[in-house]
Amino acid sequence: MVRRVVIVGGGTAGWMTATYLQATLRDKVSITLVESDRVPTVGVGEATFSTIRGFFQTVGLAEQDWMPACNATYKLAIRFENWREPGHHFYHPFERLRVADGFTLAEWWQRYGGGERFDQECFLISALCDAKRSPRFLDGRLFEDAVPDGEEGPATLSEQVTQFPYAYHFDAALLAGHLMRLGTGRGVTRVVDDVLATRLDERGWISHVVTREHGDLHGDLFIDCTGFRGMLINQALGEPFVSYARELPNDRAVALRVPSDVEREGIRPYTTATAMDAGWIWTIPLYGRLGMGYVYASDHASPEEAERTLRDFAGPAARDLEANHIRMRIGRNRNSWVGNCVAIGLSSGFVEPLESTGIFFIQHGIEQLVKHFPAGGHDDGLRRDYNRLIARCMDGVREFLFFHYYGAARADTPYWKAAKTRDLPDGFAERLASFERRLPDTENIWPHYHGFEPYSWTSMLLGLGGLTPAPRPVLDLLEPAGARREFAELRRRAEWLAAELPSQYEYFTARH
Ligand SMILES: Cc1cc2nc3c(=O)[nH]c(=O)nc-3n(C[C@H](O)[C@H](O)[C@H](O)COP(=O)(O)OP(=O)(O)OC[C@H]3O[C@@H](n4cnc5c(N)ncnc54)[C@H](O)[C@@H]3O)c2cc1C
Ligand SMILES: N[C@H](Cc1c[nH]c2cc(Cl)ccc12)C(=O)O
């Protein structure tokens, strides 16, 4: 029977795992988390997917329970700046494409689009981002549930059916601390100590870990949340790591925590990814500071050049701040579950944070571990199923991020030129060829769950500008009246919401 769970590592992965397992398996398992106070956490990881709502709902945390304590703000989209050409921007929002007469507004836009910005004509959220609006009114109502006087209300579907329209930005260290207090308050045993060694039994499975001051920690299931080092799964069990370096060359980052005057500057309701000569810079707005970092390829920039570029970009506010240089291990384990050891977090796999997928991988790994939990004893089939879906999910994100560079119009530096000539990920050539004939749909994007739907691929394809697929010929035979009505209705609602909603600064200042 599997009843004793030992988690090694107390970063975002460790404490998300501990609190989620405790909330779902409750007293059916004992959970011990051991974390070093000498080995630092990676110290970044501040923008998320909208699906993280499911994690907070499962562990029983409402927004007011954790957001103020973690300097959290709302994230409606990612704003991609200078990926097509200097001065150009577009959004990748949390918003599905509307459909008129069987075709998405993006397909109608290709044929009848008026402006240069498809995301402004096809998504409501673009206008809210440009106006720095909160997605909620001061009384807490979500913008989707509000309509202008005298108009019919929108269909209010369950969150399971709709694409929930926002995610979060938060201070990762504060969240891990908040989850630690929540978990220990609910019975998770926390051991602050260094794991010095991992001992294997005759099967080659983990029997216990040896700590510096608290003796041996025995368990039935060990969860490796030790970060990039993969102390249990890679170092002790020798599981091979599958590098994504061939497809995704960005292997370094340098980060700054920049104070911000939210009253003067406002709070952007989106993450910004600004394309640079040898990578891109993230700007994540928290309540009171900005998380900023330059993700780059060490083949195209040195750490000194990258830090200088980031400081210049951040401006005077970055003066005298300490920079955090990070080596990133890009790729995934061949298997994330080996014997009685499951890797979750950076120890399992990681790609650059361009689409905020790190914490999504953690949540996905934890949710699938519960679904495949070997309650009756370890089972090869459960482990095999788990490993296959984790690998497919990460490989799908690899393809999606590869497309961000391959599909970007800019080719003005060796770095961006190289992105166009890099070998395609296995199997992508056919999908890419189909994008010349039609926009991404359920039949021509990565065929396994990877967190993204066709509208995300469409947002990137039409935003990046490197590929210009032809409109569907059939649209020449169809009347566009229905689509024109949809475009007009969307524009009207966008203008009304941008005028009626509070700014994010107003919303959080009123709620803090
Ligand atoms: C540059 C960068 C930017 C990122 N941005 C985002 C983002 O915007 N959105 C997102 O979703 N994700 C992002 N991520 C990913 C995110 O940071 C991680 O997924 C998240 O922080 C989880 O890290 P972790 O807990 O796996 O590892 P870590 O944070 O490295 O924690 C490892 C833990 O293991 C412990 N440990 C290690 N060795 C021992 C030992 N011998 N004994 C005891 N304890 C030990 C450490 O003390 C620590 O507690 C980013 C990652 C990087 C590198
Ligand atoms: N599972 C989806 C993934 C997703 C959809 N739209 C976006 C936009 C951004 Cl900026 C990141 C991820 C996604 C979800 O999280 O809703």
Side-chain angles (χ1 to χ4, degrees), residues 490-507:
L490 189 148
R491 192 166 43 250
R492 191 165 57 249
R493 271 182 63 67
E495 288 166 358
W496 182 75
L497 287 168
E500 294 295 316
L501 282 165
S503 72
Q504 253 217 124
Y505 170 73
E506 289 162 345
Y507 179 81

Side-chain angles (χ1 to χ4, degrees), residues 47-53 75 94 167-168 355-357 360 451-452:
T48 63
F49 265 34
S50 74
T51 43
I52 198 168
R53 292 175 61 73
K75 170 191 173 185
F94 293 102
Y168 303 102
E355 287 281 358
S356 314
T357 45
F360 158 67
F452 296 96

Side-chain angles (χ1 to χ4, degrees), residues 7-18:
I7 301 169
V8 182
T12 307
W15 284 109
M16 282 184 69
T17 301

